Amino acid sequence: MAGKAELLLIGRATARMMDAMAADFTVHALLDQEDQQGWLAENGARIVAIATDGHWGASPEVLQHLPKLKIISCYGVGYDNIDAAACAARGIVVTHTPDVLNAEVANTAILLWLATSRRLIRDDAHVRSGNWEKGPAPLTQSVENRKVGILGLGRIGQEIARRIEIFSPTISYHSRNEKPGVSYRYYADLTEMARDIDTLICITPGGAATRHLVDRGVIDALGPEGTIINVGRGTVVDEAEMVQALIDGRLGAAGLDVFEHEPKVPKALKGMDNVTLLPHVGSATVQTRQAMGDLVTGNLAQFMRDGTVISPVPECANM
Ligand code: NAP
């Protein structure tokens, strides 16, 4: 009798995911191999499935060792570290975890926006340091009646917009295509939108197509009273330009969950109290991470059962 199918785990998985995957697969954790290249060269030909995440992805250097690979199940909705078009061309289906994290990531965007505008971290320090006994904290910026522009009004972007509505804003958005049936003002040009808003919320995918969409021109259009909230990908914002603009006072504030070279964060940002920094935790609650893990293993299990998947990435939707 043939043994179980073999799965390569790139990155780490929870105990619940490991248990679920063990029903169909013998799981090999790449991080446990001392000589990863040697292990792949020796064993790669037996691998039919990969479980990975948005951070680790699946590099061409790994994929070249896996001639029998049929499925890559990615933990996370962003899959910019997997060449999905190349996988589809090779007959490999790529899945991700959309929708189950929309609410959580939208909550993180609101959290960052409120924390940044109201200087939550600075004021918390004001209490802890005892400085409150010497005087009140300086005034902050209201989140009421702001002009908010959303860069990427997709699944998560729309959830963010829905939450922002309670703060009586003017909402507009930029993406490549105007969304039918949406009442928010659409801007085909991001710089033009940036001129008309005071708060820019970035929630597009990463990858080459969105790299540095928020460049110096956009940052300067936003201006000294402007705030950038980034919960999409660090690569979407020209980080060096953003840091310099914050130093120069050409940009007002920033709330950042994502960075260009994670987990490295520019030193200058760490000293600024008009900046709120999070370690890429947009979806990182127990509940949402469990739902994401279940979708990762659900895609794998369904594929092994009947060759179909629950949530393919768009490039693999018609395979
Ligand atoms: P989605 O539904 O595919 O929405 C993406 C939006 O971005 C769409 O409105 C799309 O509109 C727009 N877009 C794509 N490429 C663009 C471009 N080149 N220029 C301008 N707009 C562009 O995706 P989602 O589920 O909302 O997720 C969005 C991203 O959020 C993910 O890909 C991931 O990178 C990030 N994310 C981050 C975290 C975190 O922990 N911080 C968690 C989850 C997701 P058009 O196609 O019309 O351009």
Side-chain angles (χ1 to χ4, degrees):
M1 203 179 87
K4 280 184 187 170
E6 303 202 24
L7 178 143
L8 180 68
L9 173 65
I10 304 178
R12 291 291 177 200
T14 61
R16 182 180 168 101
M17 290 169 70
M18 293 299 265
D19 285 348
M21 291 189 292
D24 292 307
F25 300 99
T26 301
V27 178
H28 304 280
L30 192 57
L31 289 177
D32 288 346
Q33 310 305 326
E34 246 172 55
D35 172 13
Q36 296 185 4
Q37 283 305 315
W39 189 91
L40 286 168
E42 201 169 314
N43 303 286
R46 298 198 312 274
I47 299 295
V48 297
I50 284 179
T52 186
D53 61 31
H55 169 75
W56 288 97
S59 69
E61 292 71 36
V62 170
L63 295 184
Q64 67 175 353
H65 292 291
L66 315 179
K68 297 214 181 84
L69 185 67
K70 292 277 172 271
I71 178 168
I72 301 175
S73 186
C74 179
Y75 179 89
V77 66
Y79 55 98
D80 36 308
N81 287 324
I82 303 171
D83 186 342
C87 287
R90 259 186 70 180
I92 301 165
V93 63
V94 179
T95 68
H96 63 155
T97 61
D99 294 318
V100 294
L101 42 58
N102 292 352
E104 209 67 72
V105 181
N107 291 344
T108 304
I110 302 300
L111 171 75
L112 266 178
W113 179 44
L114 289 172
T116 304
S117 300
R118 299 298 307 275
R119 302 289 193 265
L120 175 76
I121 307 299
R122 183 201 69 188
D123 283 4
D124 179 271
H126 192 71
V127 177
R128 289 172 197 258
S129 63
N131 281 345
W132 190 17
E133 291 165 33
K134 298 175 199 150
L139 300 184
T140 60
Q141 293 294 323
S142 177
V143 293
E144 291 292 321
N145 306 304
R146 307 310 302 208
K147 289 180 264 174
V148 180
I150 298 178
L151 171 52
L153 195 71
R155 288 172 293 244
I156 301 170
Q158 289 176 66
E159 284 283 316
I160 294 172
R162 219 160 57 79
R163 282 159 172 72
I164 286 178
E165 276 177 4
I166 62 170
F167 300 104
S168 312
T170 308
I171 298 179
S172 50
Y173 72 102
H174 166 74
S175 52
R176 290 164 302 185
N177 309 293
E178 185 165 6
K179 275 219 163 305
V182 167
S183 60
Y184 313 132
R185 176 165 176 195
Y186 172 70
Y187 285 81
D189 185 87
L190 176 58
T191 311
E192 197 186 317
M193 179 171 86
R195 260 185 233 118
D196 289 350
I197 60 176
D198 50 53
T199 306
L200 177 66
I201 301 186
C202 307
I203 185 63
T204 51
T210 57
R211 186 170 181 277
H212 291 187
L213 270 185
V214 180
D215 58 9
R216 180 167 179 146
V218 172
I219 293 167
D220 282 343
L222 208 48
E225 304 298 321
T227 296
I228 291 177
I229 304 297
N230 191 3
V231 285
R233 281 286 182 268
T235 50
V236 175
V237 177
D238 185 331
E239 194 168 86
E241 285 291 352
M242 178 181 63
V243 170
Q244 195 54 53
L246 286 161
I247 291 170
D248 297 346
R250 287 182 288 112
L251 177 67
L256 308 168
D257 184 44
V258 289
F259 302 87
E260 256 196 282
H261 307 288
E262 295 174 12
K264 299 270 182 245
V265 173
K267 200 169 163 215
L269 288 177
K270 296 177 185 169
M272 296 177 183
D273 68 9
N274 51 346
V275 161
T276 313
L277 307 171
L278 288 179
H280 201 147
V281 290
S283 65
T285 63
V286 172
Q287 294 81 359
T288 295
R289 286 291 169 87
Q290 181 171 308
M292 290 163 62
D294 288 350
L295 189 48
V296 168
T297 57
N299 271 307
L300 290 165
Q302 183 167 311
F303 185 79
M304 295 307 281
R305 228 171 18 248
D306 63 13
T308 67
V309 294
I310 306 163
S311 49
V313 302
E315 291 88 337
C316 301
N318 298 316
M319 286 175 67

